[in-house]
Amino acid sequence: MLKGKKIVLGVTGSIAAYKAAILLRLLVKEGAEVQVVMTPFAKEFITPLTLSTLSGRPVYCDFFNASDGAWNSHVELGLWADAMIVAPATASTLGKMANGIADNLLVTTYLSMKAPVFIAPAMDLDMYAHPSTQRNVEILKGYGNAIIEAASGELASHLNGKGRLEEPEKIVQVVKDFFCSSCDLKGRRVLVTAGPTYEKIDPVRFIGNYSSGKMGFAIACECASRGADVTLVAGPVSLPTPHPSINRIDVESANEMYDAAVGVFPTCDVAVLSAAVADYRPAVQANQKIKRTAADMTIELEANRDIAATLGSMKTDGQRLVGFALETNNAEANACEKLHKKNLDFIVLNSLEDKGAGFACDTNKITIIGKDGKSVYPLKSKKEVAKDIVSHMTKLFLLLLIMFLPVTANAEGEELEAKVVLNAGKVQGTNDEVFKQLETSINEFINGRKWTPNMYEEVERISCNFTFVVNSYSNDGTFDCSLMVQAVRPVFGSSYTSPLFKYEDKSIKFTYQAYDRLEFVEDNLDNNLTATIAFYVYLIIGMDMDTMGELGGTEFLNKALNIANNAQNLGDAGWRAGSSSNNRYSVIDDYMNGAMEPVRKLMYRYHRLGLDTMFKNATEGRKAITESLALLKKAYEDRSMAYFTKLFTEYKVDEIVNVYSKSTPGEGKEVAEILTSINPSLSSEWEKITKNNN
Ligand code: CTP
């Protein structure tokens, strides 16, 4: 995953600097190109020769090479790198980085760095805990750097505590995860049970089994590296936590495992139950070691609770449950019975009849049995098997999203209650699965993202529709879609809604491959689809806020404007400024033009002072609407070609005619004149206003 990645490894003067050599080896092994930069003091702990030999590049320490005067350009390094890792980072370097004290090549390189920076501190426990260090760590986090927290354990000072450099394997894992291209479990919470359970007989004896926990640990690791938030409930095993982001709960008995799993499951999307849980425990656990007395002895056993069956009965529509079966005979029949009895979504069967499968070994041979059939896999390493199981699991999520989309989407949404429809249009038939997935991805993207820092109650969410129709599609994932965006706001004090925005975007060109997760990074508009959606979302939010307070949506409208300005190079005609035909650029360019400020002010008068008031006092409310339409006239006079003024009259026509159905003749006449001059093509509608009043 790090193949071809260019990494600057910054090494500072800590006892842990020797671990930089291990880290460097691992990075190189992963296929990364590594350029080492050391602080002068770091050379006291590890020689540049070691690091240059391992990296295959000269190590940089000084601003220039004293022998030939060659300049070591920190600026070039900042541009060259895909990532910078500072490990170990001493308290002194943290302080310098946090405060811009650029007195060595490492700090100047950091300050010039364009790529993400990972910082792994290492120092004595008191230094690490000191408020100044912690403040510097917070500052560095605030600058967007990733801090790989120091681990706890024995320190160079022989004291025990937090301050050890995190293990090089874990540092590499964090960096790999960052570059992980298939974080398809991002945002998902996964519970994994693993290992055996020990059921105490007395203080020195137990009933246990041969489970090593390797399979469950590999699954937990695979889920975590695919972005999931993993809780690993581990029985007594001697395995290290396989991924730094995993939350591990160590337990011993089936009862403890039951409590931990049942406690965590309600907040999880899926549970993978790979633990070999003892079915029985001694009915009595002796407090003292049992002495040999009679020739034979009997231990009475009582049943443990079944974790899988309990979670199966707790499972909601949105949750999934995966079980394991290790069988010695009648394998498939037994596994199928467990699948149904425990209400699992699929069960992973490994049969002890298969060589290389089951306990203790590093390989496994599995069959996945679901409600709709089975898949048989060849013998593989447990790591590879974990990938197969997790991939099978992610498919379940996709299915789930399609089945329960409205529920999931609305529950996660913040500002918007968006209904997303993707219509295959003329290209219907061959690629329906891809279109369905695209619809799912767009829905997740719009409704699952927090677009503003504000808190929204469910009733406050802005209702909108995003209706895509595919104009053309080719198998390489190239789409051209039209998009109808509609948004309404409630009329307070009534059960009516009022059109807030309506616009048909004739063509959006983008590429999408099945299962792509849609991402959007502000100011990095490399995806035209997400850029366009984000543009409309901010536009709608901004307009809604304009209706709540005069010019209240400026912050979000500026975001939409920024996207439109930055998207000029995306090669999509919809963004083109100054285009002869109106496009999405003209919409925002008009709306935010200084001459159009009266229209923005109109939004508040028309909706808040007008419509919202009408249901308490019709005359007052209508008066405010008439005043607001005078603002529309003003904007039209100042910028007569403004596209938005006309657009507004188009999507408001029915509402306006309705508002003036009971007005005074004078009022209606004035308004009808304004509207006819702005949009003469709707003159027959505007005439209704005058007729109504005569
Ligand atoms: N399991 C569990 N809690 C238990 C027993 C089993 O969660 N007390 C889970 C296991 O983690 C596994 C699945 O149930 O995912 C099947 O385990 P297995 O021991 O094969 O099932 P049992 O129902 O105990 O059947 P058997 O009679 O074969 O032991």
Side-chain angles (χ1 to χ4, degrees):
M1 213 171 296
L2 294 180
K3 201 165 186 320
K5 289 279 182 274
K6 298 185 180 76
I7 294 175
V8 169
L9 175 61
V11 183
T12 73
S14 153
I15 277 289
Y18 75 94
K19 288 193 185 170
I22 305 168
L23 177 59
L24 172 54
R25 272 185 79 104
L26 292 173
L27 291 169
V28 171
K29 216 167 126 191
E30 289 282 343
E33 269 183 70
V34 186
Q35 174 60 58
V36 177
V37 178
M38 301 174 87
T39 60
F41 199 40
K43 291 199 277 188
E44 305 290 330
F45 294 88
I46 185 165
T47 67
L49 184 61
T50 305
L51 298 176
S52 67
T53 310
L54 290 174
S55 64
R57 290 167 161 266
V59 165
Y60 296 151
C61 183
D62 303 307
F63 288 103
F64 57 88
N65 187 330
S67 59
D68 60 7
W71 178 246
N72 296 328
S73 171
H74 52 91
V75 178
E76 270 171 31
L77 278 178
L79 292 169
W80 172 82
D82 295 309
M84 179 176 189
I85 307 172
V86 185
T90 57
S92 160
T93 295
L94 289 178
K96 288 181 185 179
M97 288 167 76
N99 295 289
I101 301 171
D103 67 350
N104 63 41
L105 186 67
L106 190 150
V107 180
T108 50
T109 304
Y110 162 70
L111 293 175
S112 309
M113 189 51 59
K114 296 270 181 253
V117 180
F118 300 83
I119 304 166
M123 65 202 75
D124 203 43
L125 76 163
D126 292 321
M127 290 174 78
Y128 192 58
H130 197 280
S132 76
T133 308
Q134 287 305 313
R135 194 194 56 211
N136 289 331
V137 165
E138 285 311 312
I139 292 174
L140 288 167
K141 272 189 203 165
Y143 295 155
N145 302 298
I147 303 291
I148 304 172
E149 291 273 343
S152 294
E154 195 185 343
L155 303 166
S157 59
H158 302 298
L159 293 172
N160 230 299
K162 194 167 178 181
R164 279 168 68 96
L165 178 71
E166 186 51 282
E167 291 308 321
E169 289 78 6
K170 291 196 180 164
I171 297 176
V172 172
Q173 190 62 53
V174 172
V175 179
K176 271 167 74 175
D177 286 353
F178 175 82
F179 287 113
C180 160
S181 56
S182 62
C183 284
D184 50 0
L185 287 176
K186 205 167 174 190
R188 298 271 174 213
R189 287 167 191 262
V190 180
L191 162 68
V192 180
T193 66
T197 63
Y198 286 178
E199 310 300 322
K200 235 183 205 157
I201 300 170
D202 68 15
V204 294
R205 304 181 183 94
F206 59 84
I207 298 173
N209 60 61
Y210 293 120
S211 169
S212 62
K214 284 181 184 167
M215 191 66 251
F217 272 54
I219 290 170
C221 183
E222 177 65 16
C223 291
S225 44
R226 285 162 83 155
D229 196 348
V230 180
T231 300
L232 172 61
V233 179
V237 291
S238 54
L239 298 172
T241 309
H243 191 284
S245 77
I246 290 176
N247 169 31
R248 174 170 176 170
I249 304 175
D250 284 309
V251 296
E252 189 174 287
S253 65
N255 259 341
E256 287 170 7
M257 188 173 276
Y258 180 97
D259 290 341
V262 169
V264 171
F265 185 60
T267 58
C268 292
D269 297 297
V270 63
V272 184
L273 306 175
S274 68
V277 188
D279 289 327
Y280 299 95
R281 64 174 178 272
V284 179
Q285 294 169 10
N287 286 333
Q288 307 292 337
K289 189 179 169 199
I290 300 171
K291 291 288 179 195
R292 183 203 288 254
T293 46
D296 298 326
M297 81 169 286
T298 307
I299 298 174
E300 196 185 327
L301 300 177
E302 62 186 14
N304 276 326
R305 292 167 293 180
D306 190 322
I307 304 168
T310 307
L311 301 190
S313 66
M314 291 165 67
K315 194 172 81 170
T316 61
D317 285 344
Q319 289 179 304
R320 291 291 173 258
L321 199 56
V322 178
F324 272 72
L326 180 67
E327 304 292 339
T328 54
N329 58 313
N330 276 344
E332 279 194 34
N334 286 339
C336 278
E337 199 191 321
K338 286 173 190 172
L339 174 80
H340 292 109
K341 217 170 69 189
K342 303 189 186 208
N343 193 20
L344 306 172
D345 292 280
F346 68 82
I347 191 157
V348 182
L349 166 68
N350 32 85
S351 168
L352 279 187
E353 288 165 29
D354 287 320
K355 222 167 159 261
F359 288 149
C361 42
D362 289 322
T363 51
N364 206 356
K365 184 172 180 318
I366 59 159
T367 302
I368 292 184
I369 303 176
K371 287 171 183 153
D372 50 357
K374 64 170 187 178
S375 322
V376 182
Y377 294 82
L379 187 74
K380 293 182 179 185
S381 72
K382 284 191 172 164
K383 231 171 153 181
E384 293 300 312
V385 172
K387 283 198 173 110
D388 290 338
I389 296 171
V390 174
S391 297
H392 201 85
M393 203 173 89
T394 50
K395 282 187 201 144
L396 280 187
F397 282 131
L398 270 166
L399 220 66
L400 195 71
L401 267 171
I402 293 165
M403 283 159 65
F404 296 102
L405 200 53
V407 179
T408 329
N410 291 350
E412 285 176 3
E414 292 284 345
E415 300 81 1
L416 303 178
E417 189 164 294
K419 190 163 174 279
V420 175
V421 174
L422 188 129
N423 187 326
K426 287 182 218 135
V427 289
Q428 196 147 17
T430 44
N431 300 291
D432 290 353
E433 190 55 33
V434 181
F435 299 156
K436 199 77 213 156
Q437 283 164 19
L438 174 59
E439 184 183 82
T440 305
S441 300
I442 297 174
N443 202 332
E444 240 201 336
F445 177 70
I446 301 180
N447 285 306
R449 203 182 141 97
K450 197 161 166 24
W451 296 95
T452 73
N454 306 343
M455 296 295 289
Y456 283 72
E457 297 279 325
E458 192 123 2
V459 289
E460 290 173 332
R461 291 182 187 157
I462 308 164
S463 296
C464 51
N465 289 348
F466 283 75
T467 309
F468 291 81
V469 179
V470 183
N471 298 331
S472 69
Y473 167 72
S474 75
N475 284 338
D476 63 358
T478 318
F479 277 83
D480 184 333
C481 286
S482 72
L483 166 64
M484 173 59 91
V485 189
Q486 285 172 288
V488 294
R489 83 184 281 285
V491 177
F492 293 98
S494 82
S495 55
Y496 293 95
T497 54
S498 168
L500 178 69
F501 178 66
K502 184 175 169 191
Y503 177 69
E504 189 185 1
D505 195 321
K506 296 269 169 33
S507 162
I508 306 167
K509 293 186 169 61
F510 60 92
T511 55
Y512 172 84
Q513 301 288 354
Y515 303 105
D516 274 0
R517 203 185 165 87
L518 299 183
E519 304 282 358
F520 171 69
V521 182
E522 308 259 12
D523 298 331
N524 178 10
L525 307 181
D526 52 1
N527 180 332
N528 194 39
L529 174 64
T530 51
T532 307
I533 296 173
F535 166 80
Y536 284 117
V537 167
Y538 284 134
L539 182 71
I540 291 171
I541 294 173
M543 283 185 171
D544 186 66
M545 292 196 174
D546 270 0
T547 71
M548 300 302 286
E550 200 172 76
L551 305 176
T554 304
E555 183 187 346
F556 299 100
L557 292 161
N558 274 337
K559 281 179 186 270
L561 186 61
N562 258 344
I563 294 176
N565 283 330
N566 293 340
Q568 294 299 308
N569 298 329
L570 284 183
D572 182 310
W575 294 121
R576 203 162 299 140
S579 160
S580 55
S581 56
N582 293 310
N583 56 11
R584 72 186 85 100
Y585 182 86
S586 354
V587 175
I588 190 73
D589 183 44
D590 265 354
Y591 193 71
M592 292 303 280
N593 186 288
M596 293 281 282
E597 205 169 274
V599 171
R600 288 195 56 202
K601 289 183 172 169
L602 161 160
M603 294 297 252
Y604 173 66
R605 289 185 165 263
Y606 182 103
H607 292 97
R608 202 77 193 98
L609 305 182
L611 285 182
D612 291 351
T613 307
M614 267 193 87
F615 284 84
K616 283 183 266 153
N617 183 333
T619 316
E620 275 293 299
R622 201 167 40 242
K623 197 167 148 236
I625 292 177
T626 306
E627 282 167 12
S628 73
L629 291 175
L631 288 171
L632 190 69
K633 183 181 173 198
K634 163 109 186 66
Y636 178 71
E637 283 165 2
D638 289 350
R639 192 170 152 94
S640 64
M641 296 313 288
Y643 172 53
F644 187 80
T645 336
K646 194 160 165 265
L647 193 65
F648 180 85
T649 59
E650 271 165 20
Y651 65 78
K652 285 291 198 187
V653 57
D654 291 342
E655 185 177 84
I656 295 175
V657 170
N658 206 4
V659 163
Y660 288 96
S661 61
K662 291 196 180 78
S663 63
T664 62
E667 238 176 356
K669 193 162 175 284
E670 182 192 338
V671 166
E673 272 171 19
I674 295 173
L675 294 166
T676 311
S677 61
I678 294 173
N679 194 344
S681 62
L682 290 173
S683 55
S684 59
E685 296 297 315
W686 310 131
E687 272 165 24
K688 285 183 195 164
I689 298 177
T690 358
K691 276 187 198 144
N692 276 342
N693 303 315
N694 287 326

